[in-house]
Amino acid sequence: MGDLDTALTFFLVFVRFSGLVVSAPILGSSNFPAIGKIGLAGFSALLMTPVIALAEQSIPTDPVAFALMATGELLIGLVMGLVMTLVFAAIQLGGQVMDMQSGFGLVNVFNPALETQFPIFGFFLFILAALYLFTIDGHHMMIVALADSFDRVPLGGLAPDADLMWVVTNWGAGVFYDALLISAPVAGAMMLAYVTMGIMGRVVPQLHLFVVGFPLTIALGLLVTALSIGLYLTLMDGVFEDMFDHVDELIDGLA
């Protein structure tokens, strides 16, 4: 493989890694400097290029064909990052349900990682999930998953399965299921609290439920969340395991 082919191979590998770094959770955060993203994608591509060059893959020199090939490589990285982001979308949605139930629904905070408004519980769970992802070396597993994708989807080998779109759609629907699991402890406690306050309102009509109930639901929501940290981390284990299983299935579908 000549110097030109090696350079073109490096660029294509760099483009695929760039798609992941831009779209993946945590790695794609605006808190991660652009120079760091470029350096991570470039260094990863530098390590992978000699391995891929040994496969003697043909790289087109025609500008149009090469541009189409590079576009396909970018799409592979972007779609992999999108599938990984679904997990944190479920966390945001679950936190929003918790906020609506506990009384924090009127207050949002800005999450610079996703560049959007986040509910308070959602932001807390997002930080918890991000730290837990670092703890289990999930950010390394993201890069390793993309590196392994070159074995099954070689450069220019993008040929998505016709049913892949429906599979990804089902994963998107699973976001709501995961969100309900995340919010279940607080939502269940809030339901019992509202039923109790409703009964108290009937028994003691003079009681101002809004004055009493608002701080009560907030305190109960915080207490249940604190007591459920271990449960959330156990749930995150399963959610992250499913996330990488989906990525693995996605790579097979892209080939």
Side-chain angles (χ1 to χ4, degrees), residues 3 14-15 20 42 57 71 99 109 116 171 228 233:
D3 293 338
F14 174 76
V15 168
L20 178 71
Q57 293 177 260
T71 302
D99 273 9
V109 293
T116 184
W171 294 341
S228 304
L233 294 181

Side-chain angles (χ1 to χ4, degrees), residues 172-201:
V175 168
F176 298 94
Y177 175 76
D178 291 338
L180 290 177
L181 289 180
I182 292 171
S183 62
V186 172
M190 291 301 105
M191 183 182 68
L192 295 177
Y194 286 130
V195 170
T196 302
M197 288 189 294
I199 296 175
M200 291 175 59

Side-chain angles (χ1 to χ4, degrees), residues 87-103 119-126 128 174-192 194 217 220-226 228-229 231-233 235-236 239:
V87 171
F88 289 88
I91 295 172
Q92 180 179 5
L93 183 58
Q96 189 171 1
V97 173
M98 293 166 62
D99 273 9
M100 292 172 57
Q101 295 292 325
S102 61
I120 290 180
F121 275 120
F123 186 71
F124 170 73
L125 294 179
F126 179 90
L128 184 66
V175 168
F176 298 94
Y177 175 76
D178 291 338
L180 290 177
L181 289 180
I182 292 171
S183 62
V186 172
M190 291 301 105
M191 183 182 68
L192 295 177
Y194 286 130
T217 54
L220 182 60
L222 293 174
L223 177 63
V224 173
T225 302
S228 304
I229 293 297
L231 178 62
Y232 286 130
L233 294 181
L235 179 61
M236 290 302 159
V239 169

Side-chain angles (χ1 to χ4, degrees), residues 61-210:
T61 56
D62 178 69
V64 176
F66 183 77
L68 291 175
M69 195 174 187
T71 302
E73 298 304 310
L74 180 63
L75 287 176
I76 293 173
L78 289 175
V79 173
M80 290 180 64
L82 173 63
V83 171
M84 296 176 184
T85 305
L86 293 177
V87 171
F88 289 88
I91 295 172
Q92 180 179 5
L93 183 58
Q96 189 171 1
V97 173
M98 293 166 62
D99 273 9
M100 292 172 57
Q101 295 292 325
S102 61
F104 280 123
L106 298 177
V107 182
N108 285 336
V109 293
F110 180 73
N111 183 359
L114 295 181
E115 299 182 356
T116 184
Q117 293 290 329
F118 243 51
I120 290 180
F121 275 120
F123 186 71
F124 170 73
L125 294 179
F126 179 90
I127 296 297
L128 184 66
L131 292 176
Y132 191 65
L133 186 66
F134 282 124
T135 302
I136 63 175
D137 289 333
H139 53 306
H140 294 165
M141 296 167 66
M142 293 178 185
I143 299 174
V144 170
L146 184 65
D148 290 341
S149 70
F150 288 99
D151 292 333
R152 287 179 283 175
V153 188
L155 296 179
L158 177 63
D161 188 0
D163 296 330
L164 183 61
M165 182 179 67
W166 300 110
V167 174
V168 176
T169 301
N170 290 331
W171 294 341
V175 168
F176 298 94
Y177 175 76
D178 291 338
L180 290 177
L181 289 180
I182 292 171
S183 62
V186 172
M190 291 301 105
M191 183 182 68
L192 295 177
Y194 286 130
V195 170
T196 302
M197 288 189 294
I199 296 175
M200 291 175 59
R202 288 289 186 179
V203 176
V204 188
Q206 296 83 5
L207 185 65
H208 296 282
L209 291 180
F210 184 79

Side-chain angles (χ1 to χ4, degrees), residues 4-91:
L4 177 60
D5 288 338
T6 302
L8 295 178
T9 300
F10 170 80
F11 180 79
L12 292 174
V13 176
F14 174 76
V15 168
R16 186 182 294 194
F17 272 104
S18 298
L20 178 71
V21 171
V22 168
S23 61
I26 310 302
L27 297 179
S29 168
S30 60
N31 289 337
F32 190 13
I35 188 66
K37 297 177 183 178
I38 296 173
L40 176 61
F43 183 71
S44 301
L46 190 64
L47 295 177
M48 287 298 301
T49 299
V51 178
I52 297 175
L54 293 176
E56 294 292 337
Q57 293 177 260
S58 59
I59 306 298
T61 56
D62 178 69
V64 176
F66 183 77
L68 291 175
M69 195 174 187
T71 302
E73 298 304 310
L74 180 63
L75 287 176
I76 293 173
L78 289 175
V79 173
M80 290 180 64
L82 173 63
V83 171
M84 296 176 184
T85 305
L86 293 177
V87 171
F88 289 88
I91 295 172

